[in-house]
Structures are given as structure tokens and as C-alpha cells.
């Protein structure tokens, strides 16, 4: 599976951005698509995830209520809608796919190239 993330940019605090992750290749219905982020000097952290089938999602506490993950199976694309952005959301955001749900980056097999999100105060 190849993943292409896009949609990052510079936004003021309180603003919104929508990231996209387009997948190509063979995707199984029980695969999970995860979003992670990595700020300078910090470890990559789990943001949220969604299954390719069904509607089950999961979010990190730090983004719960502000971020929403959705998917368009016809387009093989997963979205991360980010609202009420804070300066601490500044990071490179990555999408990844794996065979089971996990908040651990090591569980995911394929990764997109990352897209920079910068939130100014």
C-alpha cells in the first residue's frame, strides 16, 4: 500500500485544516488507517484511527472533540479534519496503515511522507 498525505499548511490558532491521505494498492477491509504526528524533538505520537470498514474511530485525548477522522472508500482516501487548532498541534502529520488497531507507530506497516502543520499563536 502506498500512501500520500496532503493538506498541511500554516493556520492561526483557532483555525481549521483538513488533511487527506490517499491510498493506492490493495487495502483489506480490516485494515486500520492511523494518523500520527511528530513535533521537533519529540516522539511520534498517535492522533487517531479509523477502520476501512465500519465506523469505528479512536482519538488521542489531546485531540478528542477537536479532530475528526473520516474516509471515502470510493476514493481510497482518509481525512483528518482538525478544528480549534492550537500551537501545540504544530507537527508533521503522517498517515499509516496497519492490520490491527494500535496507538503504537511500530504496529503500522505503510507510511505516507508526512505533511507539515504549523499553528501560529
Amino acid at each position: 500500500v502506498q500512501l500520500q498525505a496532503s493538506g498541511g499548511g500554516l493556520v492561526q490558532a483557532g483555525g481549521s485544516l483538513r488533511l487527506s491521505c490517499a491510498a493506492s494498492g490493495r487495502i483489506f477491509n480490516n485494515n486500520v488507517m492511523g494518523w500520527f504526528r511528530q513535533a521537533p524533538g519529540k516522539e511520534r505520537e498517535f492522533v487517531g484511527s479509523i477502520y476501512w470498514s465500519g465506523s469505528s474511530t479512536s482519538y488521542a485525548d489531546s485531540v478528542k472533540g477537536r479532530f475528526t477522522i473520516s474516509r471515502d472508500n470510493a476514493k481510497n482516501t482518509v481525512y483528518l479534519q482538525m478544528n480549534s487548532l492550537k500551537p501545540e498541534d504544530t507537527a508533521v502529520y503522517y498517515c499509516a496503515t496497519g492490520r490491527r488497531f494500535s496507538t503504537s507507530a511500530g504496529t503500522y506497516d505503510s507510511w505516507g511522507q508526512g505533511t507539515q502543520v504549523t499553528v501560529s499563536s
Side-chain angles (χ1 to χ4, degrees):
V1 178
Q2 291 77 45
L3 304 175
Q4 180 76 33
S6 61
L10 173 64
V11 64
Q12 288 188 332
S16 298
L17 279 175
R18 188 179 79 158
L19 306 184
S20 300
C21 180
S24 59
R26 191 170 186 181
I27 301 169
F28 297 95
N29 285 338
N30 62 345
N31 279 15
V32 174
M33 180 67 79
W35 285 98
F36 288 78
R37 66 186 182 186
Q38 188 166 19
K42 294 188 177 181
E43 293 186 354
R44 193 167 296 188
E45 66 172 354
F46 174 79
V47 174
S49 65
I50 189 169
Y51 282 89
W52 278 108
S53 62
S55 59
S56 178
T57 56
S58 181
Y59 299 95
D61 288 342
S62 58
V63 307
K64 202 171 292 183
R66 299 188 298 122
F67 290 11
T68 303
I69 298 175
S70 61
R71 70 180 192 281
D72 184 335
N73 286 31
K75 296 181 179 179
N76 274 2
T77 299
V78 172
Y79 304 98
L80 177 65
Q81 178 67 45
M82 305 185 294
N83 299 329
S84 302
L85 283 162
K86 305 175 182 180
E88 52 263 42
D89 294 319
T90 295
V92 177
Y93 283 71
Y94 299 88
C95 57
T97 188
R99 300 184 182 184
R100 62 180 177 89
F101 168 75
S102 174
T103 60
S104 172
T107 305
Y108 292 76
D109 304 312
S110 300
W111 290 82
Q113 84 284 7
T115 184
Q116 176 71 47
V117 172
T118 302
V119 184
S120 63
S121 58

